[in-house]
PDB file of all heavy atoms in Angstrom:
ATOM      1  N   GLU A 409       6.501  24.962   6.163  1.00  0.00           N
ATOM      2  CA  GLU A 409       6.839  26.351   6.387  1.00  0.00           C
ATOM      3  C   GLU A 409       7.693  26.997   5.262  1.00  0.00           C
ATOM      4  O   GLU A 409       7.573  28.086   4.817  1.00  0.00           O
ATOM      5  CB  GLU A 409       7.424  26.455   7.781  1.00  0.00           C
ATOM      6  CG  GLU A 409       7.762  28.049   8.050  1.00  0.00           C
ATOM      7  CD  GLU A 409       6.525  28.701   8.358  1.00  0.00           C
ATOM      8  OE1 GLU A 409       5.427  28.207   8.659  1.00  0.00           O
ATOM      9  OE2 GLU A 409       6.588  30.008   8.358  1.00  0.00           O
ATOM     10  N   ALA A 410       8.655  26.150   4.839  1.00  0.00           N
ATOM     11  CA  ALA A 410       9.585  26.733   3.835  1.00  0.00           C
ATOM     12  C   ALA A 410       8.873  26.845   2.524  1.00  0.00           C
ATOM     13  O   ALA A 410       9.106  27.795   1.803  1.00  0.00           O
ATOM     14  CB  ALA A 410      10.819  25.766   3.706  1.00  0.00           C
ATOM     15  N   TYR A 411       8.020  25.894   2.181  1.00  0.00           N
ATOM     16  CA  TYR A 411       7.215  25.969   0.961  1.00  0.00           C
ATOM     17  C   TYR A 411       6.368  27.238   1.017  1.00  0.00           C
ATOM     18  O   TYR A 411       6.338  28.007   0.008  1.00  0.00           O
ATOM     19  CB  TYR A 411       6.275  24.816   0.933  1.00  0.00           C
ATOM     20  CG  TYR A 411       6.940  23.545   0.218  1.00  0.00           C
ATOM     21  CD1 TYR A 411       6.920  22.261   0.783  1.00  0.00           C
ATOM     22  CD2 TYR A 411       7.556  23.686  -1.032  1.00  0.00           C
ATOM     23  CE1 TYR A 411       7.370  21.154   0.097  1.00  0.00           C
ATOM     24  CE2 TYR A 411       8.119  22.628  -1.625  1.00  0.00           C
ATOM     25  CZ  TYR A 411       8.045  21.291  -1.076  1.00  0.00           C
ATOM     26  OH  TYR A 411       8.509  20.186  -1.763  1.00  0.00           O
ATOM     27  N   ASN A 412       5.701  27.437   2.165  1.00  0.00           N
ATOM     28  CA  ASN A 412       4.871  28.650   2.182  1.00  0.00           C
ATOM     29  C   ASN A 412       5.653  29.993   2.079  1.00  0.00           C
ATOM     30  O   ASN A 412       5.169  30.869   1.567  1.00  0.00           O
ATOM     31  CB  ASN A 412       4.195  28.645   3.538  1.00  0.00           C
ATOM     32  CG  ASN A 412       3.047  27.612   3.643  1.00  0.00           C
ATOM     33  OD1 ASN A 412       2.409  27.274   2.580  1.00  0.00           O
ATOM     34  ND2 ASN A 412       2.665  27.169   4.833  1.00  0.00           N
ATOM     35  N   ASN A 413       6.824  29.995   2.702  1.00  0.00           N
ATOM     36  CA  ASN A 413       7.625  31.145   2.569  1.00  0.00           C
ATOM     37  C   ASN A 413       8.066  31.458   1.177  1.00  0.00           C
ATOM     38  O   ASN A 413       8.456  32.509   0.856  1.00  0.00           O
ATOM     39  CB  ASN A 413       8.897  30.987   3.478  1.00  0.00           C
ATOM     40  CG  ASN A 413       8.521  31.075   4.879  1.00  0.00           C
ATOM     41  OD1 ASN A 413       7.506  31.588   5.263  1.00  0.00           O
ATOM     42  ND2 ASN A 413       9.477  30.612   5.840  1.00  0.00           N
ATOM     43  N   ALA A 414       8.139  30.389   0.260  1.00  0.00           N
ATOM     44  CA  ALA A 414       8.557  30.568  -1.090  1.00  0.00           C
ATOM     45  C   ALA A 414       7.424  30.764  -2.024  1.00  0.00           C
ATOM     46  O   ALA A 414       7.609  30.804  -3.217  1.00  0.00           O
ATOM     47  CB  ALA A 414       9.334  29.385  -1.557  1.00  0.00           C
ATOM     48  N   GLY A 415       6.244  30.885  -1.536  1.00  0.00           N
ATOM     49  CA  GLY A 415       5.070  30.830  -2.351  1.00  0.00           C
ATOM     50  C   GLY A 415       4.691  32.291  -2.882  1.00  0.00           C
ATOM     51  O   GLY A 415       5.351  33.210  -2.552  1.00  0.00           O
ATOM     52  N   GLY A 416       3.606  32.310  -3.540  1.00  0.00           N
ATOM     53  CA  GLY A 416       3.185  33.559  -4.152  1.00  0.00           C
ATOM     54  C   GLY A 416       1.636  33.475  -4.483  1.00  0.00           C
ATOM     55  O   GLY A 416       1.105  32.266  -4.489  1.00  0.00           O
ATOM     56  N   THR A 417       1.055  34.527  -4.970  1.00  0.00           N
ATOM     57  CA  THR A 417      -0.449  34.453  -5.291  1.00  0.00           C
ATOM     58  C   THR A 417      -0.661  34.682  -6.768  1.00  0.00           C
ATOM     59  O   THR A 417      -1.907  34.634  -7.247  1.00  0.00           O
ATOM     60  CB  THR A 417      -1.186  35.440  -4.522  1.00  0.00           C
ATOM     61  OG1 THR A 417      -0.730  36.778  -4.917  1.00  0.00           O
ATOM     62  CG2 THR A 417      -1.042  35.241  -3.027  1.00  0.00           C
ATOM     63  N   ASP A 418       0.403  34.897  -7.588  1.00  0.00           N
ATOM     64  CA  ASP A 418       0.110  35.171  -9.082  1.00  0.00           C
ATOM     65  C   ASP A 418      -0.709  34.129  -9.712  1.00  0.00           C
ATOM     66  O   ASP A 418      -1.657  34.308 -10.384  1.00  0.00           O
ATOM     67  CB  ASP A 418       1.424  35.452  -9.735  1.00  0.00           C
ATOM     68  CG  ASP A 418       2.085  36.702  -9.268  1.00  0.00           C
ATOM     69  OD1 ASP A 418       1.392  37.495  -8.702  1.00  0.00           O
ATOM     70  OD2 ASP A 418       3.314  36.893  -9.429  1.00  0.00           O
ATOM     71  N   ARG A 419      -0.243  32.877  -9.670  1.00  0.00           N
ATOM     72  CA  ARG A 419      -0.976  31.831 -10.295  1.00  0.00           C
ATOM     73  C   ARG A 419      -2.316  31.555  -9.798  1.00  0.00           C
ATOM     74  O   ARG A 419      -3.227  31.306 -10.539  1.00  0.00           O
ATOM     75  CB  ARG A 419      -0.158  30.365 -10.173  1.00  0.00           C
ATOM     76  CG  ARG A 419       1.018  30.281 -11.157  1.00  0.00           C
ATOM     77  CD  ARG A 419       1.458  28.826 -11.192  1.00  0.00           C
ATOM     78  NE  ARG A 419       2.606  28.764 -12.150  1.00  0.00           N
ATOM     79  CZ  ARG A 419       3.794  28.700 -11.804  1.00  0.00           C
ATOM     80  NH1 ARG A 419       4.163  28.841 -10.511  1.00  0.00           N
ATOM     81  NH2 ARG A 419       4.847  28.522 -12.770  1.00  0.00           N
ATOM     82  N   LEU A 420      -2.454  31.708  -8.476  1.00  0.00           N
ATOM     83  CA  LEU A 420      -3.809  31.680  -7.851  1.00  0.00           C
ATOM     84  C   LEU A 420      -4.793  32.697  -8.542  1.00  0.00           C
ATOM     85  O   LEU A 420      -5.854  32.302  -8.877  1.00  0.00           O
ATOM     86  CB  LEU A 420      -3.690  31.903  -6.353  1.00  0.00           C
ATOM     87  CG  LEU A 420      -5.004  32.056  -5.630  1.00  0.00           C
ATOM     88  CD1 LEU A 420      -5.890  30.752  -5.648  1.00  0.00           C
ATOM     89  CD2 LEU A 420      -4.794  32.433  -4.100  1.00  0.00           C
ATOM     90  N   LYS A 421      -4.313  33.907  -8.619  1.00  0.00           N
ATOM     91  CA  LYS A 421      -5.152  35.041  -9.137  1.00  0.00           C
ATOM     92  C   LYS A 421      -5.379  34.690 -10.648  1.00  0.00           C
ATOM     93  O   LYS A 421      -6.578  35.051 -11.098  1.00  0.00           O
ATOM     94  CB  LYS A 421      -4.554  36.236  -8.931  1.00  0.00           C
ATOM     95  CG  LYS A 421      -4.392  36.744  -7.586  1.00  0.00           C
ATOM     96  CD  LYS A 421      -3.543  38.074  -7.480  1.00  0.00           C
ATOM     97  CE  LYS A 421      -3.547  38.541  -6.021  1.00  0.00           C
ATOM     98  NZ  LYS A 421      -2.640  39.768  -5.888  1.00  0.00           N
ATOM     99  N   GLU A 422      -4.629  33.991 -11.302  1.00  0.00           N
ATOM    100  CA  GLU A 422      -4.906  33.608 -12.756  1.00  0.00           C
ATOM    101  C   GLU A 422      -5.944  32.586 -12.919  1.00  0.00           C
ATOM    102  O   GLU A 422      -6.789  32.731 -13.847  1.00  0.00           O
ATOM    103  CB  GLU A 422      -3.597  33.209 -13.456  1.00  0.00           C
ATOM    104  CG  GLU A 422      -3.654  32.715 -14.898  1.00  0.00           C
ATOM    105  CD  GLU A 422      -4.202  33.759 -15.792  1.00  0.00           C
ATOM    106  OE1 GLU A 422      -3.828  34.954 -15.753  1.00  0.00           O
ATOM    107  OE2 GLU A 422      -5.064  33.398 -16.701  1.00  0.00           O
ATOM    108  N   PHE A 423      -5.918  31.572 -12.019  1.00  0.00           N
ATOM    109  CA  PHE A 423      -6.809  30.427 -12.219  1.00  0.00           C
ATOM    110  C   PHE A 423      -8.019  30.479 -11.256  1.00  0.00           C
ATOM    111  O   PHE A 423      -8.989  29.705 -11.606  1.00  0.00           O
ATOM    112  CB  PHE A 423      -6.018  29.145 -12.015  1.00  0.00           C
ATOM    113  CG  PHE A 423      -5.035  28.874 -13.127  1.00  0.00           C
ATOM    114  CD1 PHE A 423      -3.634  29.216 -13.145  1.00  0.00           C
ATOM    115  CD2 PHE A 423      -5.451  28.352 -14.347  1.00  0.00           C
ATOM    116  CE1 PHE A 423      -2.663  29.041 -14.091  1.00  0.00           C
ATOM    117  CE2 PHE A 423      -4.533  28.168 -15.456  1.00  0.00           C
ATOM    118  CZ  PHE A 423      -3.222  28.511 -15.273  1.00  0.00           C
ATOM    119  N   ALA A 424      -8.058  31.239 -10.334  1.00  0.00           N
ATOM    120  CA  ALA A 424      -9.228  31.281  -9.563  1.00  0.00           C
ATOM    121  C   ALA A 424     -10.291  32.190 -10.221  1.00  0.00           C
ATOM    122  O   ALA A 424      -9.940  33.092 -10.934  1.00  0.00           O
ATOM    123  CB  ALA A 424      -8.970  32.082  -8.193  1.00  0.00           C
ATOM    124  N   PHE A 425     -11.591  31.764  -9.965  1.00  0.00           N
ATOM    125  CA  PHE A 425     -12.605  32.396 -10.842  1.00  0.00           C
ATOM    126  C   PHE A 425     -12.868  33.873 -10.475  1.00  0.00           C
ATOM    127  O   PHE A 425     -13.086  34.742 -11.386  1.00  0.00           O
ATOM    128  CB  PHE A 425     -13.977  31.634 -10.639  1.00  0.00           C
ATOM    129  CG  PHE A 425     -15.171  32.177 -11.293  1.00  0.00           C
ATOM    130  CD1 PHE A 425     -15.112  32.260 -12.637  1.00  0.00           C
ATOM    131  CD2 PHE A 425     -16.143  32.588 -10.560  1.00  0.00           C
ATOM    132  CE1 PHE A 425     -16.281  32.879 -13.387  1.00  0.00           C
ATOM    133  CE2 PHE A 425     -17.377  33.073 -11.252  1.00  0.00           C
ATOM    134  CZ  PHE A 425     -17.391  33.209 -12.672  1.00  0.00           C
TER     135      PHE A 425
END
Side-chain angles (χ1 to χ4, degrees):
E409 182 69 17
Y411 274 131
N412 284 336
N413 290 340
T417 61
D418 290 343
R419 281 196 179 96
L420 171 65
K421 292 176 180 177
E422 174 63 39
F423 290 98
F425 179 60

